Amino acid sequence: MEGGNSPNLQLQQLPLATAAVSVQPHTDSFSYKENLIGALLAIFGHLVSSIALNLQKYSHIRLAGSKDPRAYFRTKTWWSGLLLLVLGELGVFSSYAFAPLSLIVPLSAVSVVASAIIGIIFIKEKWKPKEFLRRYVLSFVGCGLAVVGTYLLVTFGPNSHERMTAENITRHLVSWPFLLYMLVEIIVFCLLLYFYKERNANYIVIILLLVALLGSMTVVTGKAVAGMILVSIQGSLQLDSPIFYIMLVCMIATAIYQATFLAQASQLYDSAQISSIGYILSTTAAISAGATFYLDFMGEDVLHICMFALGCLIAFLGVFLITRNRKKPVPFEPYISMDAMPGMQNMHDKGIAVQPDLKASFSYGALENNDSMPEIYTPATLPIVQEQHGPKGASAPPYRVLEHSKKE
């Protein structure tokens, strides 16, 4: 009996093995197409968003340099930039439904590269070829490295193809790796917030770490929302599940707080530093969250993971070189230099104060309101040494400081 049944078993197992072999390449091809669609949507979204932001910036600069009394939101250029910005963000949001987070998040380097290229093309100042190469060689090298890193990310990105149903998302939400990750992230976030608020530790790394931790939750919940919308469009309704609205509320709340901390960082530090350090920290946190929640690297071989990590490092270096070459803005100085005024240089040389030092703020040329000054204050009359600014024998009229007395 056994000898007679074994050939039948072998014949029955052969079609099954053949079917399994034939299904696997189809799945890999389909997953690669999904990853490619998600990557192209992300690249398109970041590129359009970069163009939109530069278009809005151009609208502000053009209004500031002209006598046009209109506000910026009354110009067609600004509204065109806003519509392009919405289109770009929709493209990035849609990409979450097709490809893993670990693949989509690092592609934000495209916006940095696009901004650098737009800044070089539309530069307003005059330059010579040698000076141009010397000043922008770092930008060219950084753009090249960012493109190479993006290619490695797309080529060796993880292949996770789980349908974003309410059941799958709930199962990931209560899994012990994600719960442990959330516990560590909450503890770190509270410690950073304590040092930032209570200890006044306004370091750029602390602020951008807060942004990165919030951003990791934004992209995790954003992928869940986008994936459930895609599954609902395909025919399986997921919008009636409570987990969809929980993820939607978390996505909106973390995005708002993330924008708040970014606004505070932009008031204290240069935008180039925020772009480079923020990109590195946010990408690292988002990849860690995606690998923990969605198990992006489950089943990937070591070579693909190492090549993906190499692509991230090359993209990080490229963004750092691009932002390092940006010009630092010259801070506005609200004071008038007294040395540039005729007749005032001699007083500085002799150590005579132009105005007495007060506890209240009252400095020459400051953009401050002095209406609250006491009426008894009267500036002293200072002797001015007469200088001759004309030809020999011709005396220039002296500069006098008038005495202000209290009006009775």
Side-chain angles (χ1 to χ4, degrees):
M1 292 295 292
E2 293 180 359
N5 291 335
S6 59
N8 295 331
L9 290 175
Q10 292 176 359
L11 292 174
Q12 292 176 359
Q13 290 174 358
L14 182 60
L16 293 175
T18 306
V21 172
S22 62
V23 169
Q24 187 65 31
H26 176 71
T27 304
D28 290 343
S29 176
F30 180 72
S31 63
Y32 178 77
K33 289 181 180 179
E34 281 191 334
N35 282 3
L36 184 60
I37 292 173
L40 291 177
L41 283 174
I43 292 173
F44 170 78
H46 289 300
L47 181 62
V48 173
S49 298
S50 178
I51 296 174
L53 292 175
N54 283 277
L55 196 61
Q56 288 184 329
K57 182 179 180 180
Y58 171 75
S59 175
H60 287 283
I61 293 175
R62 189 177 65 175
L63 286 177
S66 63
K67 298 180 180 180
D68 194 346
R70 293 181 300 169
Y72 64 90
F73 54 84
R74 294 184 180 273
T75 60
K76 295 180 180 180
T77 307
W78 188 87
W79 279 105
S80 300
L82 181 62
L83 293 177
L84 288 177
L85 183 62
V86 172
L87 179 62
E89 294 299 328
L90 285 177
V92 176
F93 178 75
S94 301
S95 66
Y96 292 144
F98 293 94
L101 280 182
S102 302
L103 174 61
I104 297 300
V105 173
L107 294 179
S108 58
V110 174
S111 62
V112 182
V113 175
S115 297
I117 295 175
I118 292 173
I120 293 174
I121 293 176
F122 294 99
I123 190 170
K124 299 298 182 182
E125 60 185 14
K126 297 180 180 180
W127 45 267
K128 298 179 181 179
K130 293 182 179 180
E131 182 182 359
F132 181 80
L133 292 176
R134 180 179 59 84
R135 291 185 54 185
Y136 294 101
V137 63
L138 288 180
S139 294
F140 290 138
V141 174
C143 290
L145 290 176
V147 171
V148 173
T150 302
Y151 173 77
L152 293 176
L153 290 172
V154 175
T155 305
F156 298 97
N159 294 319
S160 61
H161 311 286
E162 188 178 24
R163 286 169 59 87
M164 293 290 101
T165 61
E167 181 181 358
N168 291 335
I169 294 174
T170 305
R171 178 169 51 85
H172 288 303
L173 190 62
V174 298
S175 62
W176 70 265
F178 181 70
L179 293 178
L180 181 60
Y181 176 83
M182 281 297 299
L183 178 62
V184 174
E185 181 169 324
I186 290 174
I187 293 175
V188 174
F189 184 84
C190 292
L191 289 176
L192 292 174
L193 190 62
Y194 169 76
F195 284 107
Y196 175 61
K197 294 293 185 180
E198 300 297 331
R199 300 292 184 178
N200 293 326
N202 297 327
Y203 301 107
I204 186 172
V205 176
I206 292 181
I207 302 176
L208 294 182
L209 271 175
L210 293 171
V211 174
L213 294 177
L214 289 171
S216 64
M217 290 298 101
T218 303
V219 295
V220 165
T221 54
K223 178 176 176 59
V225 173
M228 294 177 75
I229 292 176
L230 179 63
V231 172
S232 299
I233 293 174
Q234 292 175 349
S236 178
L237 184 62
Q238 304 293 322
L239 305 184
D240 57 348
S241 176
I243 193 64
F244 173 78
Y245 298 98
I246 293 175
M247 290 293 180
L248 181 62
V249 171
C250 291
M251 180 187 69
I252 296 174
T254 52
I256 292 174
Y257 283 106
Q258 183 183 357
T260 302
F261 284 114
L262 273 177
Q264 295 175 5
S266 63
Q267 295 176 358
L268 300 174
Y269 297 97
D270 182 48
S271 59
Q273 292 180 330
I274 296 175
S275 299
S276 59
I277 300 176
Y279 170 74
I280 295 173
L281 296 178
S282 298
T283 303
T284 304
I287 291 176
S288 302
T292 306
F293 188 86
Y294 295 107
L295 304 177
D296 288 344
F297 296 96
M298 182 66 68
E300 297 289 335
D301 55 5
V302 179
L303 178 61
H304 278 70
I305 295 176
C306 292
M307 293 301 295
F308 179 82
L310 178 62
C312 289
L313 293 177
I314 293 176
F316 290 167
L317 180 60
V319 171
F320 174 76
L321 292 179
I322 293 172
T323 55
R324 182 180 176 83
N325 194 47
R326 291 185 180 178
K327 289 184 177 181
K328 295 183 179 180
V330 179
F332 175 69
E333 191 67 41
Y335 296 96
I336 299 176
S337 177
M338 304 301 293
D339 296 335
M341 299 180 66
M344 292 297 179
Q345 187 173 359
N346 292 335
M347 291 191 299
H348 287 287
D349 295 337
K350 294 184 178 181
I352 303 175
V354 178
Q355 288 178 336
D357 191 10
L358 296 177
K359 295 181 179 180
S361 177
F362 190 85
S363 53
Y364 185 85
L367 302 179
E368 298 177 1
N369 187 8
N370 299 315
D371 295 337
S372 60
M373 293 297 298
E375 295 183 356
I376 59 173
Y377 170 70
T378 302
T381 303
L382 301 178
I384 305 299
V385 179
Q386 180 177 343
E387 289 186 351
Q388 293 183 357
H389 299 277
K392 285 186 176 182
S395 59
Y399 295 90
R400 296 178 298 174
V401 178
L402 300 180
E403 179 176 357
H404 300 275
S405 60
K406 178 182 174 183
K407 295 182 179 180
E408 297 293 334

